[in-house]
Amino acid sequence: MGTRFLPATKAVPKELMPIGDTPAIQIIIDEALGAGVEHIVIVNSRNKPAIERYFERDDELVEMIRAKGDDRLADRLAGIGRDWRVTFAYQDKPRGLGHAVGCARQAVGNEPFAVMLPDELLGDCSLLDQMNVVSADTGGGVVGVTQVPRELVSSYGVLAPSGPVSDDGVIAVEDLVEKPPADEAPSNYILIGRYVLTPDVFDEIERLTPGRGGELQLTDALRAQVARGPFSAVVSRTDRYDTGNPVGFLDAAIAFALRNPEMSDGTRAVLANRVSG
Ligand code: G1P
């Protein structure tokens, strides 16, 4: 609902707020496409039709930009929602992440799929790439994790490892706990909003009862799968930006601008000027 970004989100969904020249949601879609995903399912609220408008064709706009001679931008605009398949599913009430994923059941169908939470932006698609490989090898679900200082774990799903971290960052999962108090957390490896899951999770979601915060938690549905095994975690080696709060969003915007060849020099200059001034 974007409450931490009010009043900005009163009229504009957070997912469309710009990271440089790109709406935040496009960054996570690019990550998915980079890892070979071909069908994007967006679980949306009926109150945010602007998100759907972003994916609609706009031939007039493309032609206008082409007439101005900017073919690169025109191609980029024309490709949105054309070069991959987008389906919308709706969650009518905010009943939790498990419920949101359950709303996508029909659109996803009976095959492995990734869940990607757009509040968490990653520097590239390397984590999802590796998670896909691990899931294909084991036939089981995979979560993306990173280590954080202990005092932060209570805001996240936390991993209980059943063994050591392999050289390529894979950990066998013993259990998962949603937002435990820091002193009860089984580790400081947190779930960072990237999951590669097998479709039997949808049956577990239907069996969910309210968990932490009174919500239907995806973490709780995964526990049932973990108990059956195999279930793995992969430690992310790329940058992570938590855009759930305005400063984190700004951090992501600056980092992506510094990596964009068209914006990096200008961004560097304004930052240097601000910090020294
Ligand atoms: C959700 C998940 C949590 C995960 C987090 C990552 O929590 O429930 O397990 O660690 O995303 O950002 P939320 O931030 O929606 O409360």
Side-chain angles (χ1 to χ4, degrees), residues 34-83:
V37 170
E38 290 166 346
H39 178 198
I40 309 279
V41 178
I42 297 176
V43 181
N44 197 13
S45 136
R46 303 251 179 215
N47 301 330
K48 301 190 201 174
I51 297 183
E52 274 146 79
R53 276 210 297 283
Y54 173 70
F55 294 98
E56 280 166 14
R57 274 176 69 151
D58 190 339
D59 295 340
E60 248 173 67
L61 177 65
V62 172
E63 283 325 309
M64 185 191 95
I65 299 295
R66 213 174 286 289
K68 284 186 169 179
D70 193 342
D71 276 335
R72 206 187 58 83
L73 179 58
D75 290 343
R76 196 171 154 206
L77 289 167
I80 297 169
R82 180 199 65 190
D83 294 349

Side-chain angles (χ1 to χ4, degrees), residues 97 117 119-120 155-158 178-179 190-193 195 215 217-219 240:
L97 177 59
L117 307 188
D119 263 1
E120 301 261 5
S155 304
Y156 298 96
V158 179
E178 181 66 12
K179 305 194 174 90
I190 59 154
L191 309 190
I192 52 169
Y195 310 78
E215 297 192 333
Q217 297 290 355
L218 180 63
T219 305
R240 164 178 176 250

Side-chain angles (χ1 to χ4, degrees), residues 136-156:
D137 283 353
T138 59
V142 184
V143 288
V145 297
T146 197
Q147 275 184 302
V148 295
R150 273 249 164 208
E151 60 270 22
L152 298 182
V153 297
S154 61
S155 304
Y156 298 96

Side-chain angles (χ1 to χ4, degrees), residues 2 6 9 38 51 68 84 87 111 113 125 131 134 152 195 221 238 262 269:
L6 283 169
T9 46
E38 290 166 346
I51 297 183
K68 284 186 169 179
W84 66 90
T87 305
E111 53 182 318
F113 64 103
C125 64
M131 289 169 65
V134 172
L152 298 182
Y195 310 78
T238 187
E262 281 170 24

Side-chain angles (χ1 to χ4, degrees), residues 8-270:
T9 46
K10 187 163 176 276
V12 180
K14 203 182 92 196
E15 294 83 349
L16 296 180
M17 294 196 335
I19 303 273
D21 58 6
T22 305
I25 197 166
Q26 183 67 56
I27 301 221
I28 199 159
I29 288 175
D30 288 342
E31 182 193 335
L33 299 174
V37 170
E38 290 166 346
H39 178 198
I40 309 279
V41 178
I42 297 176
V43 181
N44 197 13
S45 136
R46 303 251 179 215
N47 301 330
K48 301 190 201 174
I51 297 183
E52 274 146 79
R53 276 210 297 283
Y54 173 70
F55 294 98
E56 280 166 14
R57 274 176 69 151
D58 190 339
D59 295 340
E60 248 173 67
L61 177 65
V62 172
E63 283 325 309
M64 185 191 95
I65 299 295
R66 213 174 286 289
K68 284 186 169 179
D70 193 342
D71 276 335
R72 206 187 58 83
L73 179 58
D75 290 343
R76 196 171 154 206
L77 289 167
I80 297 169
R82 180 199 65 190
D83 294 349
W84 66 90
R85 197 174 144 213
V86 190
T87 305
F88 283 88
Y90 296 93
Q91 185 190 31
D92 291 322
K93 277 191 207 134
R95 295 178 58 199
L97 177 59
H99 178 250
V101 174
C103 294
R105 179 172 199 162
Q106 231 194 330
V108 169
N110 195 29
E111 53 182 318
F113 64 103
V115 174
M116 305 174 73
L117 307 188
D119 263 1
E120 301 261 5
L121 296 183
L122 299 183
D124 57 44
C125 64
S126 58
L127 175 65
L128 195 60
D129 256 338
Q130 195 186 350
M131 289 169 65
N132 279 336
V133 171
V134 172
S135 180
D137 283 353
T138 59
V142 184
V143 288
V145 297
T146 197
Q147 275 184 302
V148 295
R150 273 249 164 208
E151 60 270 22
L152 298 182
V153 297
S154 61
S155 304
Y156 298 96
V158 179
L159 169 74
S162 79
V165 187
S166 77
D167 288 346
D168 48 0
V170 181
I171 313 177
V173 178
E174 168 88 32
D175 199 1
L176 301 168
V177 194
E178 181 66 12
K179 305 194 174 90
D183 55 352
E184 288 170 26
S187 78
N188 64 344
Y189 284 102
I190 59 154
L191 309 190
I192 52 169
R194 296 295 182 277
Y195 310 78
V196 173
L197 301 177
T198 51
D200 53 303
V201 74
F202 288 121
D203 290 334
E204 302 301 345
I205 288 172
E206 281 181 13
R207 284 192 270 273
L208 279 176
T209 53
R212 187 72 68 189
E215 297 192 333
L216 300 177
Q217 297 290 355
L218 180 63
T219 305
D220 293 337
L222 301 183
R223 288 183 102 164
Q225 292 191 302
V226 168
R228 286 196 298 272
F231 204 99
S232 318
V234 175
V235 182
S236 175
R237 295 176 207 198
T238 187
D239 299 330
R240 164 178 176 250
Y241 308 94
D242 182 354
T243 65
N245 63 79
V247 174
F249 197 93
L250 195 58
D251 179 28
I254 292 169
F256 280 83
L258 288 172
R259 279 178 13 193
N260 177 337
E262 281 170 24
M263 296 176 75
S264 68
D265 288 349
T267 307
R268 218 170 282 281
V270 293

